[in-house]
Amino acid sequence: MLLAIESSCDETAAAVLSPPSSLLASEIASQAEKHRPYGGVVPELASRNHLVLLNPIISQALNSADIMIDEIQAFSATSGPGLSSSLLMGNTAAKALALARNKPFISVNHIEGHLCSPFMEMEIKPHIALIVSGGHTLIIKVNEFNDYETLGSSLDDAAGEAFDKVGKMLGLPYPGGPEVEKLANHGDPERFDFPRSMINRDNSNFSFSGLKTSVLYALKKIPNPDKQILADLCASFQIAVVEILVHKATHAALKENLNTIALSGGVACNDSLRQALKIRCQKYGVELIAVDPKYSTDNAAMIARAAAERFIRKKFTPLSEDVNPNLKI
Ligand code: KG4
Ligand code: ZN
């Protein structure tokens, strides 16, 4: 049995999992309400809140799993990428528990956690991973667990970051992604013709900052936008992001001769993206494994799933290893 902690940004989460993939508990304390007045995550506030929330969330996970802490055979935590002061909180907690109980510690790369999240209940097979979160937009060729080749990434804003910035521009609450999707549901995606940057380049890189700026320019031309215009802006922005993501992911799968795409990360909650990718995959005979929305935004279940793969391979981490806010996959 493993206990995993996630604290890379503003979610404090703990999960218990029996390797390789039997999840017994996954608990999340979101700090979104605390950061909302500031329009984004305040690192100092996030780490202070992790400190307050960590012990209760660990107890809650153990209670939900109906096990005692003595039954835990390894302790795991996200070691990067993320906010260093936030990473340190979860990492130090997991290391302290491992040290006190003389059990191994397993550090997990947050991106690898997202990469494992569509495979919570199944074996990881060769695939193209499309990871779309607030911090990353990545296309990775996964040969097997721990054997990855990054084919491309965003050269500027991550997809979720673009959603959040557009949300902020339109005066929507933080985080903007879900709010933009809600408004887009009532909007006309053809009202504004926003650019699909880099869509026709024969690579797996992305650029979303031009698209974001186009939304800003369109908004500036309309003095008092009513609710319908805001909805149309959201729908037109969202369809541009979705088309780029869907095109690049299927392009990579066909080019690499892989017939499975796995979708993960916070933006994988977006229903338009899920539907559009499903339809395109069906068209090309590609299998789509989309993360369950409950494991798409940051959570500890995905960290536990990745830790389980490391546990099986006896890949333990020395307690002296530090967190790394810029950790790459
Ligand atoms: O994976 P995640 O929880 O955190 C990072 O690792 O960055 O992703 C959070 C991101 C935020 O940018 C949020 O706005 C976005 O995921 N997001 C969405 C939706 N739900 C969350 N973006 C678009 N549509 C959604 N429904
Ligand atoms: Zn994440």
Side-chain angles (χ1 to χ4, degrees):
M1 223 100 71
L2 297 170
L3 177 84
I5 298 172
E6 156 62 31
S7 71
S8 64
C9 192
D10 62 337
E11 321 282 358
T12 319
V16 177
L17 183 142
S18 168
S21 58
S22 176
L23 184 67
L24 302 177
S26 173
E27 302 290 335
I28 306 174
S30 172
Q31 302 179 15
E33 290 295 331
K34 298 237 159 49
H35 297 275
R36 193 156 291 147
Y38 307 97
V41 177
V42 182
E44 168 76 13
L45 194 59
S47 55
R48 281 173 188 271
N49 277 293
H50 284 310
L51 192 59
V52 172
L53 295 166
L54 265 165
N55 274 339
I57 209 80
I58 292 170
S59 301
Q60 213 172 304
L62 291 169
N63 279 341
S64 305
D66 199 19
I67 60 158
M68 309 289 286
I69 197 150
D70 296 340
E71 293 172 74
I72 299 291
Q73 288 152 304
F75 294 89
S76 166
T78 308
S79 61
L83 300 169
S84 55
S85 51
S86 286
L87 289 164
L88 270 170
M89 290 298 161
N91 224 256
T92 310
K95 282 177 180 166
L97 287 166
L99 181 66
R101 291 168 192 280
N102 201 20
K103 295 284 191 288
F105 169 67
I106 303 170
S107 71
V108 170
N109 182 316
H110 182 80
I111 301 168
E112 191 174 48
H114 279 301
L115 188 146
C116 290
S117 64
F119 299 91
M120 286 306 298
E121 284 162 14
M122 64 177 113
E123 245 178 77
I124 297 162
K125 55 167 137 177
H127 68 276
I128 291 292
L130 172 62
I131 304 176
V132 271
S133 69
H136 299 91
T137 305
L138 289 162
I139 291 194
I140 299 172
K141 183 182 179 191
V142 178
N143 298 314
E144 59 178 325
F145 180 80
N146 210 30
D147 181 358
Y148 314 125
E149 193 186 327
T150 301
L151 301 177
S153 60
S154 178
L155 305 180
D156 38 58
D157 292 345
E161 189 181 356
F163 265 98
D164 293 342
K165 286 179 176 170
V166 165
K168 205 168 184 176
M169 266 177 222
L170 304 181
L172 303 174
Y174 164 84
E179 304 294 328
V180 168
E181 179 176 24
K182 269 187 235 159
L183 267 184
N185 287 338
H186 307 286
D188 173 5
E190 290 177 7
R191 170 96 177 250
F192 299 93
D193 185 18
F194 292 136
R196 274 73 166 151
S197 308
M198 301 182 72
I199 198 164
N200 289 321
R201 300 232 185 124
D202 185 23
N203 62 32
S204 297
N205 289 330
F206 303 87
S207 167
F208 294 108
S209 94
L211 169 58
K212 175 195 69 189
T213 311
S214 302
V215 178
L216 184 64
Y217 286 154
L219 187 64
K220 277 190 173 162
K221 282 189 199 147
I222 310 159
N224 290 308
D226 61 18
K227 195 135 191 228
Q228 190 55 52
I229 290 180
L230 293 183
D232 294 344
L233 280 167
C234 288
S236 304
F237 162 76
Q238 179 176 270
I239 200 171
V241 176
V242 166
E243 276 184 21
I244 298 165
L245 294 174
V246 168
H247 179 85
K248 290 278 180 175
T250 41
H251 178 80
L254 298 176
K255 198 170 166 189
E256 298 294 329
N257 227 351
L258 281 168
N259 60 3
T260 304
I261 291 176
L263 171 68
S264 64
V267 184
C269 278
N270 188 285
D271 212 44
S272 297
L273 173 61
R274 297 175 79 89
Q275 290 308 321
L277 191 55
K278 189 172 154 193
I279 291 167
R280 189 71 63 89
C281 282
Q282 276 166 353
K283 183 175 168 197
Y284 289 113
V286 172
E287 177 194 22
L288 173 64
I289 305 177
V291 61
D292 184 320
K294 66 174 180 273
Y295 304 127
S296 69
T297 49
D298 290 348
N299 64 87
M302 67 183 194
I303 303 304
R305 180 69 185 89
E309 294 290 338
R310 298 202 167 270
F311 182 80
I312 291 163
R313 292 165 179 80
K314 297 204 170 9
K315 283 179 175 287
F316 303 131
T317 313
L319 293 179
S320 56
E321 198 175 288
D322 212 348
V323 299
N324 181 355
N326 301 313
L327 192 64
K328 302 273 180 281
I329 189 148

